[in-house]
Amino acid sequence: MNFIADKLLLFGATGDLAQRMLLPSLCALHADGLVHQDLVIIGTARSELDDAGYRAFAAEALARFLPEDRKAAVPAFLDRLRYQTLDASSSDGFGVLAEKVGPITDGLAIFLSTAPSLFETTIAGLHQAGLAGDKCRIGLEKPLGSDLATSRLINDAVASVFPESRTFRIDHYLGKETVQNLLALRFANVLFEPLWNSTHINHVQITVAETVGLEGRVGFYDQAGALRDMVQNHMLQLLALVAMEPPAKFNATAVRDEKVKVLRSLRPLGSGDSVTGQYRAGAIDGVAVPGYDQELGHPSDTETFVAIKAHIDNWRWKGVPFFLRTGKRLPERTTEIIIQFNPVPHSIFAAEGAKTSPNRLIIGIQPDENIGLTVMAKVPGLDRGGIRLREVPLDINMPNAFAAAVKRIAYERLLLDLIEGDQTLFVRRDEVEAQWDWVDAIRAGWAEHGLTPKPYTAGSWGPSAAVALAERHGVSWHD
Ligand code: BG6
């Protein structure tokens, strides 16, 4: 049964995510009249606050993180906010929370971003307090476990109370506009699909580079590392969208059915197929930054960089490597996907001394959203010395092409879909489990071979072994 929720219960309401992303997103949706006109948002966290205190807290966060042109909407948005203090380490306080939420008539959407240790009591508390019925759905933020076994425990705990149809696992990359645009590019154009296979594609590169370091997330990040923090979720979702078969429809079941087939076809990595690194002191944009161990305060074996050569064992992708690379303290913040096509089978220009480069499709996800295709063109001239060819870009600069469109952050889309009950951009349990399955085997391989991260200087593109990983296949990373 679908419903549009008129109540939103926000766990972790005073946390970093709420301040930076959730409150600004909800306020933007409110400003554009996109939420239920009676939507009430109930925040809950451990901090001792009342409604007025939470509104003051939210006002401060919005003053910092909401774009200027949306600020006029803040006072009316604050009226939607309520707050209930809750210690989620026991299910006792949930009765009071349920009273605060009040009767659930149209529906309740819950957004849970909570420490893993509070998961079970929270789910049990919601259930006991009547906040898990047919008209309640739950959105779950990562981390949802640290391997397949722990993710199963969490998924089982959730499933004992919320059926899959009311469980919304968040991967905020799926809320990014350009990520969704990948689907439009592939399936709303006739140009690419006939070429989208091993006959025409040489390899794929997916890079998610960040300039930030540990950002004070000492407890979490050192337990996770780049593989679990970025590859297990965001990068594998990008890979699945690039590699999946065309779904018959654009709906949650059809899209997720196709993604999971890709994830299950990932070949277990061989011992030489991955490289890990950890940043040392260096400089980003001319500013000196400390090494990971210095930020952490002690030595650690956690990887802050990982590069992988992956294969998808199915007909379409036979023999096509997918190079994945992500790291902290790299020279720039970029997320991009490169589809490298094969060379032309025979160049009629070779005898004239002209070189042709294979076409390349570049899908820029952030910070700039654009789609570029390199094509070969003739350099103008009378060609007395022989024909000359040059690679030129065909660029679709998304912000220019859609200058009038409001730029929205990922959580606006995801919160609205959660409130309205559209699961297409949320990750299904079988996908998460396939992701963990592959990632756990990589970690087991690292442990078996005693692989520890290689140092790299902050501000560089990771350890040189990552370059060698690609070069062994005649590939250079697109920097
Ligand atoms: C999060 C990771 O999921 O994604 C962070 O935990 C990372 O370590 C962040 O910085 C990157 O997200 P974005 O949207 O800034 O690319």
Side-chain angles (χ1 to χ4, degrees):
M1 176 186 52
N2 208 5
F3 55 86
I4 296 182
D6 65 344
K7 288 188 174 164
L8 175 66
L9 175 56
L10 222 54
F11 281 82
T14 54
D16 195 56
L17 186 70
Q19 293 178 63
R20 284 174 189 276
M21 298 288 170
L22 306 181
L23 289 167
S25 298
L26 289 165
C27 188
L29 294 173
H30 156 91
D32 292 340
L34 290 170
V35 288
H36 197 298
Q37 63 177 19
D38 299 325
L39 180 78
V40 170
I41 301 165
I42 306 104
T44 181
R46 206 187 281 259
S47 313
E48 300 274 351
L49 292 173
D50 56 11
D51 290 353
Y54 188 58
R55 286 180 187 145
F57 172 90
E60 215 169 286
L62 294 170
R64 286 175 65 198
F65 298 114
L66 191 69
E68 243 5 89
D69 59 346
R70 298 298 181 93
K71 289 203 168 136
V74 170
F77 172 71
L78 295 178
D79 286 346
R80 294 183 184 272
L81 301 183
R82 316 273 185 274
Y83 184 83
Q84 178 62 50
T85 304
L86 177 77
D87 173 6
S89 64
S90 102
S91 32
D92 298 345
F94 282 76
V96 181
L97 181 65
E99 271 172 40
K100 188 81 188 185
V101 170
I104 298 166
T105 43
D106 284 3
L108 173 70
I110 303 168
F111 185 104
L112 192 58
S113 96
T114 211
S117 57
L118 300 178
F119 230 95
E120 263 176 63
T121 48
T122 305
I123 296 291
L126 287 169
H127 181 50
Q128 283 161 26
L131 296 175
D134 285 355
K135 289 210 154 181
C136 303
R137 63 173 73 98
I138 191 162
L140 305 168
E141 252 297 340
K142 69 183 264 252
L144 293 177
S146 51
D147 55 16
L148 180 59
T150 50
S151 113
R152 276 197 175 137
L153 285 179
I154 290 175
N155 281 322
D156 284 345
V158 175
S160 67
V161 174
F162 294 92
E164 185 66 31
S165 60
R166 290 193 276 116
T167 302
F168 290 61
R169 288 177 203 82
I170 293 159
D171 183 318
H172 78 278
Y173 267 55
L174 296 181
K176 291 182 192 273
E177 193 65 48
T178 336
V179 173
Q180 295 156 43
N181 205 17
L182 237 176
L183 296 178
L185 182 78
R186 286 196 59 196
F187 304 126
N189 294 293
V190 76
L191 285 184
F192 299 111
E193 194 48 30
L195 305 179
W196 211 259
N197 54 53
S198 60
T199 310
H200 302 289
I201 294 180
N202 177 276
H203 70 270
V204 175
Q205 295 184 23
I206 303 179
T207 294
V208 182
E210 297 187 279
T211 53
V212 293
L214 194 52
E215 292 185 295
R217 297 155 85 208
V218 177
F220 166 72
Y221 194 86
D222 200 50
Q223 295 300 312
L227 182 70
R228 288 188 277 191
D229 186 40
M230 297 297 285
V231 178
Q232 185 273 337
N233 38 45
H234 312 319
M235 296 192 80
L236 287 185
Q237 283 293 320
L238 293 179
L239 174 141
L241 292 172
V242 169
M244 71 183 186
E245 297 300 314
K249 292 189 177 133
F250 186 49
N251 67 27
T253 305
V255 171
R256 299 189 300 177
D257 281 352
E258 296 306 335
K259 280 195 293 168
V260 77
K261 284 186 213 162
V262 171
L263 296 166
R264 287 189 182 138
S265 310
L266 280 163
R267 185 190 300 170
L269 289 196
S271 60
D273 291 341
S274 62
V275 169
T276 59
Q278 191 190 84
Y279 63 84
R280 294 284 176 268
I284 309 264
D285 276 339
V287 179
V289 294
Y292 179 76
D293 48 356
Q294 291 162 298
E295 279 184 64
L296 199 59
H298 57 81
S300 155
D301 273 348
T302 299
E303 80 287 355
T304 60
F305 174 96
V306 58
I308 287 172
K309 179 173 75 81
H311 277 279
I312 298 166
D313 281 333
N314 65 16
W315 277 37
R316 185 188 285 262
W317 296 112
K318 177 82 186 158
V320 179
F322 281 68
F323 290 95
L324 313 181
R325 167 178 72 154
T326 185
K328 303 269 185 206
R329 292 287 193 223
L330 299 186
E332 57 192 62
R333 177 172 184 254
T334 326
T335 299
E336 68 177 14
I337 300 171
I338 310 285
I339 313 290
Q340 178 66 61
F341 291 95
N342 280 326
V344 289
H346 165 72
S347 171
I348 61 167
F349 304 107
E352 310 282 312
K355 284 205 181 106
T356 49
S357 310
N359 303 117
R360 194 167 57 216
L361 181 66
I362 303 168
I363 303 165
I365 290 171
Q366 56 190 22
D368 301 319
E369 299 185 353
N370 51 44
I371 297 172
L373 180 67
T374 62
V375 293
M376 296 308 296
K378 179 180 164 311
V379 178
L382 297 178
D383 308 325
R384 296 304 92 188
I387 192 166
R388 284 190 301 138
L389 300 174
R390 200 167 70 208
E391 201 176 66
V392 288
L394 275 181
D395 268 336
I396 309 170
N397 185 304
M398 302 303 279
N400 290 351
F402 298 104
V406 181
K407 196 163 164 26
R408 298 193 180 276
I409 57 175
Y411 281 96
E412 289 183 43
R413 169 71 195 237
L414 297 177
L415 281 163
L416 195 58
D417 285 353
L418 172 68
I419 289 168
E420 295 185 351
D422 182 347
Q423 289 187 305
T424 312
L425 299 178
F426 293 83
V427 186
R428 208 166 57 188
R429 177 171 182 161
D430 51 2
E431 293 179 77
V432 179
E433 296 194 346
Q435 291 170 179
W436 276 124
D437 202 26
W438 191 68
V439 159
D440 282 1
I442 298 176
R443 288 181 52 238
W446 291 351
E448 190 188 327
H449 296 102
L451 189 93
T452 50
K454 298 184 178 9
Y456 63 95
T457 307
S460 71
W461 280 104
S464 53
V467 176
L469 174 75
E471 276 178 354
R472 276 203 295 281
H473 301 273
V475 169
S476 359
W477 292 104
H478 183 254
D479 292 342

